[in-house]
Amino acid sequence: MSTPSGGMRPGLATAFAVVGFGALAICGLGVLSLVTGEDVVAVRGLGPIPGAVGFGAALIATATTLAISLRAPRPSYATAALTGVVALLSYLAGLIVSAVVVGVDAARALAAAGGFAVSWFGLLLVVAAAIAGWFAVALVRTRATPPRWTWERDEDE
């Protein structure tokens, strides 16, 4: 379950980080929407599909970025910033493309993406992805191990 350096395997760290990113982003976007009283994607007539597709694109991009970046022998914590930027750009691309596919005109799709990018929602998505990226790098670089009960420990410990 660990690499020769003592850290967690990159694939497992990526899986944990992507699940964490998804949970943190969904919770954060929901709470922020509740507190501000604004919709996450505030363009009329867009529907729920473009936002969901954008979020799926952000999840896939985060997983891909981490899967590639964590393969390095000692991955850099700068991966966290890259993960945040890639997640936001992927969200915006997924939002625009899916909005156009479902029949929304391009101007409204671009307005939705632009509004999201400069809102607190966009910042929250970047921060959630960056936290997940940092977490994944930390899991690979440190001697992180899953928690174990007392009876699971070796006698030599």
Side-chain angles (χ1 to χ4, degrees):
M1 273 235 175
S2 64
T3 59
S5 66
M8 190 176 284
R9 288 186 303 198
L12 187 57
T14 298
F16 281 146
V18 170
V19 169
F21 164 63
L24 187 60
I26 288 170
C27 178
L29 291 171
V31 169
L32 185 58
S33 178
L34 181 66
V35 168
T36 61
E38 297 178 18
D39 290 332
V40 175
V41 180
V43 173
R44 283 193 175 154
L46 206 59
I49 293 174
V53 170
F55 192 77
L59 280 172
I60 292 168
T62 299
T64 304
T65 302
L66 292 175
I68 293 169
S69 299
L70 295 179
R71 288 184 186 173
R74 190 146 170 89
S76 169
Y77 283 104
T79 298
L82 174 67
T83 304
V85 171
V86 167
L88 178 64
L89 293 176
S90 298
Y91 182 93
L92 298 175
L95 180 72
I96 292 169
V97 170
S98 62
V100 171
V101 167
V102 297
V104 175
D105 60 25
R108 292 176 85 179
L110 288 171
F116 183 86
V118 298
S119 70
W120 290 108
F121 297 109
L123 179 64
L124 187 134
L125 188 77
V126 170
V127 169
I131 289 170
W134 184 90
F135 177 72
V137 172
L139 285 175
V140 171
R141 287 181 62 157
T142 61
R143 294 180 176 252
T145 58
R148 295 186 301 178
W149 293 99
T150 343
W151 59 82
E152 294 178 312
R153 300 187 198 278
D154 291 334
E155 297 296 324
D156 297 337
E157 291 183 24

